[in-house]
Amino acid sequence: MNKPLRLGVLAWEVAKIDSLEDYANHLDRLVAEGAKQADLLLMPEYSCMEAAAAVTKEPDPSAELDAMCAHSDAILAIMRAAAKKHSVWLMPGTLPRPEAAGVRNRAPLIAPNGSVAFQDKHVMTRFETESWGVKAGNPPGVFETPWGLIGTSVCYDSEFPMLARAQVEAGAWLILVPTCTDSMHGFNRVKISAQARALENQCFVAVSPTVGDAPWLATLDENHGCAGIYGPVDRGFPDDGVIAEGKLDQDGWIFATLSPDALDEVRENGAVRNCRDWPTVVPSAGKNTFSDA
């Protein structure tokens, strides 16, 4: 028997922040609330960008990125302190990290003792590439946790099946998707992709979005989504694969207790075996010819 995981997934409402201390207090309140019911907490991509308002003069995407890069170490220290204080595993979203080869969008997973490992976003959106110049990071990997191996697919990465598949083949049974989308088109792409990845791989996928309007920021000015936890669409699971889901554009935590053993059962005895039947080689498509026969 594998150890069940109590997972908390947050829809983060962007707050008006006047100082890094305000951000630290906001994060602390959210972690304290989630840690009461969960062992591992997931927060959204770029949620820490709300702190940019405290260190920039006016909304400007380049200035906000530069400011957050300059304070990246301080922000990470705040995140690590929250995990340690509340003795919880924490993925506090992502944060820009200035590296020698360029800025990376990095998702830290922080253990209760404060130790940290990272998963970089691998495929950049047009905004990240064309406006920010954020670079693709390291390839998909997995984190070792007390509940087994867990993967992370940052926002747009979730839309590419081969990235999550590489993590599942490496042993991941849960994929964490921190996301930040400023339109319903964007959020629906991530949500549909997350449900597809859960179906294809017969695994769990959790989505944590930013929500709310923040006109005082250029990068988080509009945010849409809902927190969700998705699983296989098969025996032993809900008919639509939705394990838990919040209300659209409403902030707050959702929780679910997830067991890797449930996935072992459905992969072996489900009506279908999507995970096992994944084609290892797909030949190039040819033309189907018509005849009179």
Side-chain angles (χ1 to χ4, degrees), residues 101-105 120-124 129 133-139:
V103 177
R104 300 290 192 269
N105 182 9
D120 293 354
K121 191 172 186 175
H122 191 65
V123 184
M124 299 299 107
T129 299
V134 176
K135 305 297 183 183
N138 56 27

Side-chain angles (χ1 to χ4, degrees), residues 54 60 95 99 131 134 143 175 189 209 221 229-230 252 263 270 273 290:
D60 177 85
L95 73 161
E99 305 290 340
S131 298
V134 176
F143 298 102
I175 306 293
R189 284 195 301 269
D221 56 335
I229 302 172
Y230 308 105
L263 300 178
R273 291 176 171 173
F290 292 90

Side-chain angles (χ1 to χ4, degrees), residues 174-231:
L174 166 65
I175 306 293
L176 305 176
V177 182
T179 187
C180 176
T181 49
D182 61 2
S183 70
M184 284 305 301
H185 287 117
F187 174 67
N188 281 323
R189 284 195 301 269
V190 172
K191 176 183 175 179
I192 292 168
S193 297
Q195 291 181 280
R197 303 297 83 81
L199 183 155
E200 294 160 354
N201 297 295
Q202 295 177 296
C203 68
F204 294 111
V205 181
V207 177
S208 172
T210 50
V211 296
D213 295 333
W216 56 89
L217 288 164
T219 48
L220 295 179
D221 56 335
E222 184 177 356
N223 305 269
H224 294 283
C226 66
I229 302 172
Y230 308 105

Side-chain angles (χ1 to χ4, degrees), residues 200-279:
E200 294 160 354
N201 297 295
Q202 295 177 296
C203 68
F204 294 111
V205 181
V207 177
S208 172
T210 50
V211 296
D213 295 333
W216 56 89
L217 288 164
T219 48
L220 295 179
D221 56 335
E222 184 177 356
N223 305 269
H224 294 283
C226 66
I229 302 172
Y230 308 105
V233 184
D234 208 333
R235 297 167 182 160
F237 294 88
D239 291 343
D240 58 2
V242 178
I243 307 299
E245 195 170 61
K247 294 183 178 180
L248 181 64
D249 290 344
Q250 181 172 310
D251 68 311
W253 289 101
I254 62 169
F255 301 96
T257 298
L258 307 178
S259 170
D261 292 330
L263 300 178
D264 292 340
E265 172 63 23
V266 76
R267 287 174 177 179
E268 181 62 27
N269 297 314
V272 291
R273 291 176 171 173
N274 301 83
C275 186
R276 187 202 65 178
D277 293 340
W278 182 274

Side-chain angles (χ1 to χ4, degrees), residues 32-101:
E33 182 181 345
K36 294 176 183 177
Q37 300 186 58
D39 308 304
L40 189 153
L41 304 177
L42 173 63
M43 294 178 168
E45 179 188 35
Y46 288 132
S47 55
C48 70
M49 291 295 296
E50 71 174 19
V55 288
T56 54
K57 295 181 179 179
E58 59 185 21
D60 177 85
S62 295
E64 290 169 10
L65 177 66
D66 291 345
M68 294 308 292
C69 284
H71 292 83
S72 185
D73 287 342
I75 295 290
L76 182 59
I78 289 169
M79 294 170 168
R80 295 176 71 181
K84 289 181 68 174
K85 177 180 177 180
H86 298 286
S87 191
V88 69
W89 285 79
L90 175 64
M91 179 164 282
T94 70
L95 73 161
R97 296 289 286 171
E99 305 290 340

Side-chain angles (χ1 to χ4, degrees), residues 16-25 50-55 75 78:
K16 194 163 189 178
I17 297 298
D18 295 322
S19 67
L20 291 184
E21 184 179 3
D22 281 351
Y23 167 73
N25 290 335
E50 71 174 19
V55 288
I75 295 290
I78 289 169

